[in-house]
Amino acid sequence: MSRIAYVNGRYVPHSEASVHIEDRGYQFADGVYEVVLVHRGKLVDEIPHLDRLDRSLSELQIDAPMPRAPLRQVMREMVRRNRISDGIVYIQATRGVARRDHPFPKNTRPALVMTSRRLAMPDRAKAEEGVAALTIPDIRWARCDIKAVALLPNVLGKQQAREAGAYEAWQVDDEGYVTEGTSTNTWIVTPDGELVTRQIGEQILSGITRATLIDLAAKQGVTFVERRFTVAEALGAREAFVTSATSFVTPITKINDTVIGNGRAGSVAMGILDSYLDYAADAGAS
Amino acid sequence: MSRIAYVNGRYVPHSEASVHIEDRGYQFADGVYEVVLVHRGKLVDEIPHLDRLDRSLSELQIDAPMPRAPLRQVMREMVRRNRISDGIVYIQATRGVARRDHPFPKNTRPALVMTSRRLAMPDRAKAEEGVAALTIPDIRWARCDIKAVALLPNVLGKQQAREAGAYEAWQVDDEGYVTEGTSTNTWIVTPDGELVTRQIGEQILSGITRATLIDLAAKQGVTFVERRFTVAEALGAREAFVTSATSFVTPITKINDTVIGNGRAGSVAMGILDSYLDYAADAGAS
C-alpha cells in the first residue's frame, strides 16, 4: 500500500504530493505545524495540539485553513488511509501561494498539508540506557513560542548533536540558562528530588507532551517546579530527560562529557515514561 | 506568453511549478536564496551574488545543486524565456527532499528552483519624495549573514511597517543599534556629511548592492565609514536610505514620527542612486 498525503483538499499519493514553489512556506517559512502522536490508531492529546495550532496561526495572523471539525476528520482519514496504528500525523499550515513579496498578501487562501507515518512506541529497556545531550548556544529567533516552520537553527543544532554522537542539543540562552532542545523540552531532577523544567515564555515552545507530563507527575506526587536552570545545574542533576510527542520521555545520561546521576535512566524519568505510556494507551483505547 | 519557472532540471509553466511537500525548504526552512537584478536583459552583479550563494550553502553544508557554469546558463535561459528586460531572477536552493527528520539527510540531492519576473527600474522623481521607515526590535536568529529562507521574522517586520504606513522596518538590536531593514541594508549620512552603514557581521546580510554602492560612493569622494549607529543617531541624521537589489537606493525621509533632514531625499542618496543607475546600465550594456 502506498502512503497517502493530504494537500489542500486532496488525498494524493505521498510521492506526488507537492505545493507550488511560491507557497510562502517554501519561500518565507511563513507557516506553522504540529506533530500529533497516534497510538493504537487514536490521536493522543489531539485537542491541545489543535489549540496550539490555532494559537500559532493567530500569532502570525494566518486564517485557519479549515474549521476544526473537518480538520479533525482529515486527521482521522489520514490515520485510516495510511493504516497507522502507532505513528504520527504531521500538519502544516502556511499563508498560502502568492507572488513573492515580504508583506502579507491579500485574499490568499492558507495552505494545509498533512502527512502520516508509522512510529514505534518507546522501548522501555532501551530508554533505561539513556542517550547523550550536547549544550549549544541558542541562536534562534525571539518567538520560539510560535511553532513555526522556520526551523533552520533547530536543524543545525540537531545535526551538531548527532555529529558529536549525541541525541539532542540543549540550547542555552545568553545568560547561561537552558531554553529547550532543538525538538524537545528539557527537564532535570535536582539532587533534592525536585523535578524542574523551564517556565513557558517566548523562548520556548509550550510543549503538549510537557503539559501532559506535568499533570502525570503531579498525580505521582513528584515535587515539581517551573523555572529556568543553568547548564551547571543540569550537569549536577540527579536525572535529566527530554520530552516531545515523538521522543516521549527520553532519559539523558550524559551532557557534554559529564555523566548524569549514575549513568542510567533515573526513577523519576522512568516513572513518568511509564505513566505516559499508560496515558497514551488510555487515549488510544478511548 | 506564460511565465516559465525552473524546477530541478526542468523548465515548467510557472502555474504548474511545484516542489514535494517534504522538500526541506518547506518543512524546515532548510535552504537559501538570491535575488539578482536584470537590467536591459543582463544580470547585474551576477558573480558576487553567486559567490554569496556559494557561501550561504557552504555555511549550511548544503552541496551546490549545480556547478556554476550551467547555473549561469539557466539564469540566462530564465531571462530569455520570460523575456525579461528589466526585472529579477530569484534563485532558491534547499537541502532537498527527505523524510521529515531534523538532522541532515544522507544522499539527498539539493533542490534548485528559479523564477524570473519583471521589475521597473526606479523612478528618480519618485525616489526624491522619499518613504517612511519604522524602527522595531530585531527578533531574528543569530546568523543573519546567511541568506536563508527562514524569513518569517522579516515578513512580520515588513508587515508591521506596511500597517504603519511605512516602506520598511529598521531592525534594532538589544543595545539600541540598527542592524538592517527586513529586506534591505540601512544607511545614514551624519550632520557632518559622513556616510555610515553597519559593518558586516553575523547580525546582517552582506548586501551585494551595499558593496557596489560602497565602491561607487568612494569614486564620488563621499566620506564613508562602516560602523553601527543607534536609532537616536538615525533620527538626527541629515539623510537616511535603504538599499537592496530590488529597492536600489530608496531615500528614507521619515523614521517613526521624525522627519529626516529637510523631509526630501538628500544629495548623497540621490548621487549614489544616479551612479548606481549608470553602473547597472553599464552592466546591462556589457
Side-chain angles (χ1 to χ4, degrees):
Chain A
M1 186 206 66
S2 72
R3 281 179 72 192
I4 299 296
Y6 174 87
V7 183
N8 296 320
R10 296 173 58 212
Y11 294 92
V12 295
H14 182 83
S15 59
E16 297 167 20
S18 61
V19 290
H20 194 265
I21 57 171
E22 289 194 325
D23 184 303
R24 290 175 63 97
Y26 196 59
Q27 296 191 322
F28 288 115
D30 194 5
V32 301
Y33 73 105
E34 285 291 331
V35 179
V36 184
L37 181 67
V38 179
H39 184 43
R40 297 180 184 171
K42 297 291 169 69
L43 297 152
V44 179
D45 286 335
E46 178 189 9
I47 300 305
H49 278 288
L50 294 180
D51 287 346
R52 187 172 64 184
L53 179 66
D54 286 346
R55 179 183 181 277
S56 294
L57 288 167
S58 168
E59 289 295 312
L60 300 184
Q61 297 174 58
I62 299 175
D63 292 334
M66 183 183 284
R68 183 170 292 196
L71 180 65
R72 294 181 66 188
Q73 197 53 44
V74 175
M75 292 167 72
R76 279 159 181 70
E77 191 63 17
M78 285 295 290
V79 170
R80 191 187 71 77
R81 290 195 185 217
N82 288 287
R83 300 184 195 175
I84 304 297
S85 175
D86 292 344
I88 57 158
V89 171
Y90 171 83
I91 308 167
Q92 179 167 349
T94 77
R95 206 179 302 276
V97 175
R99 195 182 88 156
R100 189 182 182 281
D101 194 15
H102 286 68
F104 300 169
K106 294 193 200 311
N107 307 319
T108 294
R109 184 195 298 260
L112 179 64
V113 167
M114 238 181 265
T115 61
S116 189
R117 69 171 176 84
R118 288 174 192 167
L119 176 74
M121 294 297 284
D123 175 338
R124 206 179 177 287
K126 198 164 168 230
E128 284 267 5
E129 292 172 17
V131 291
L134 186 72
T135 62
I136 63 170
D138 193 336
I139 62 168
R140 299 173 304 162
W141 73 323
R143 290 301 307 277
C144 293
D145 58 313
I146 301 171
K147 198 167 173 72
V149 294
L151 291 170
L152 180 56
N154 307 60
V155 161
L156 298 178
K158 186 79 89 180
Q159 176 65 17
Q160 199 179 333
R162 294 298 163 84
E163 287 177 10
Y167 172 79
E168 177 62 297
W170 286 30
Q171 299 170 109
V172 180
D173 68 22
D174 289 345
E175 296 176 87
Y177 291 90
V178 175
T179 53
E180 60 184 337
T182 65
S183 65
T184 59
N185 287 117
T186 50
W187 308 64
I188 58 170
V189 177
T190 68
D192 293 336
E194 189 178 57
L195 178 63
V196 182
T197 197
R198 187 170 176 130
Q199 73 280 7
I200 295 306
E202 293 187 350
Q203 290 73 40
I204 71 165
L205 187 72
S206 179
I208 303 304
T209 304
R210 172 188 179 282
T212 295
L213 295 175
I214 288 172
D215 287 345
L216 294 175
K219 284 179 189 159
Q220 293 193 337
V222 176
T223 308
F224 169 73
V225 60
E226 285 184 285
R227 65 169 172 84
R228 61 187 190 169
F229 56 85
T230 63
V231 173
E233 189 175 5
L235 296 179
R238 185 194 288 178
E239 299 184 30
F241 56 94
V242 296
T243 64
S244 76
T246 55
S247 67
F248 308 94
V249 176
T250 299
I252 301 291
T253 48
K254 197 169 84 166
I255 299 177
N256 300 333
D257 292 327
T258 301
V259 172
I260 305 302
N262 65 2
R264 301 278 297 174
S267 59
V268 174
M270 292 308 292
I272 292 177
L273 172 58
D274 287 338
S275 64
Y276 183 73
L277 294 176
D278 288 343
Y279 170 82
D282 286 347
S286 69
Chain B
M1 184 206 67
S2 71
R3 283 179 71 192
I4 299 295
Y6 174 87
V7 183
N8 295 321
R10 296 173 57 211
Y11 296 93
V12 295
H14 183 84
S15 59
E16 297 168 21
S18 62
V19 290
H20 194 266
I21 56 171
E22 288 194 325
D23 184 304
R24 289 175 63 96
Y26 197 59
Q27 296 191 322
F28 288 115
D30 194 4
V32 300
Y33 73 106
E34 285 291 332
V35 179
V36 184
L37 181 66
V38 179
H39 184 43
R40 298 179 184 172
K42 297 290 169 70
L43 298 153
V44 179
D45 287 335
E46 178 189 10
I47 300 305
H49 277 289
L50 294 180
D51 286 346
R52 187 173 63 183
L53 180 66
D54 285 347
R55 179 183 181 277
S56 294
L57 289 167
S58 167
E59 289 295 312
L60 300 184
Q61 298 174 57
I62 298 175
D63 292 335
M66 183 184 284
R68 183 170 292 197
L71 179 65
R72 294 181 66 187
Q73 197 51 46
V74 175
M75 292 167 72
R76 279 160 180 70
E77 190 64 15
M78 285 295 290
V79 170
R80 192 187 70 77
R81 291 195 184 217
N82 288 287
R83 299 185 195 175
I84 304 298
S85 176
D86 293 342
I88 58 158
V89 172
Y90 171 83
I91 308 167
Q92 179 167 348
T94 76
R95 205 180 301 277
V97 175
R99 196 182 86 155
R100 188 182 182 280
D101 195 16
H102 287 67
F104 300 169
K106 293 193 200 309
N107 307 317
T108 294
R109 183 195 299 259
L112 178 64
V113 167
M114 237 181 267
T115 60
S116 188
R117 70 172 176 85
R118 287 174 193 166
L119 177 74
M121 294 296 284
D123 175 338
R124 206 180 176 287
K126 197 164 169 229
E128 283 268 4
E129 292 172 18
V131 291
L134 185 73
T135 61
I136 62 170
D138 193 337
I139 62 167
R140 300 173 303 163
W141 73 323
R143 288 302 306 277
C144 294
D145 58 312
I146 302 171
K147 199 168 172 69
V149 293
L151 291 170
L152 180 55
N154 306 60
V155 161
L156 298 178
K158 186 78 88 180
Q159 176 67 15
Q160 200 178 332
R162 295 298 164 84
E163 288 178 9
Y167 173 80
E168 177 62 298
W170 286 31
Q171 297 169 110
V172 180
D173 68 21
D174 289 345
E175 296 176 86
Y177 291 90
V178 175
T179 54
E180 60 184 336
T182 64
S183 65
T184 59
N185 287 117
T186 50
W187 308 63
I188 59 170
V189 178
T190 67
D192 293 337
E194 189 178 58
L195 177 63
V196 182
T197 198
R198 187 172 175 126
Q199 73 280 7
I200 295 305
E202 294 187 349
Q203 290 74 40
I204 71 165
L205 188 71
S206 179
I208 302 304
T209 304
R210 172 188 181 282
T212 295
L213 294 175
I214 289 172
D215 287 346
L216 294 174
K219 284 178 188 159
Q220 293 194 337
V222 176
T223 308
F224 169 73
V225 60
E226 285 182 287
R227 64 169 171 84
R228 60 187 190 169
F229 55 86
T230 63
V231 173
E233 189 175 4
L235 297 179
R238 185 194 288 179
E239 298 184 30
F241 57 95
V242 296
T243 63
S244 76
T246 54
S247 67
F248 308 95
V249 176
T250 298
I252 301 291
T253 47
K254 197 169 86 166
I255 299 178
N256 301 333
D257 292 326
T258 300
V259 172
I260 304 302
N262 65 2
R264 301 278 297 172
S267 59
V268 173
M270 292 308 291
I272 292 176
L273 173 58
D274 287 339
S275 64
Y276 183 74
L277 293 176
D278 289 344
Y279 170 83
D282 286 349
S286 70

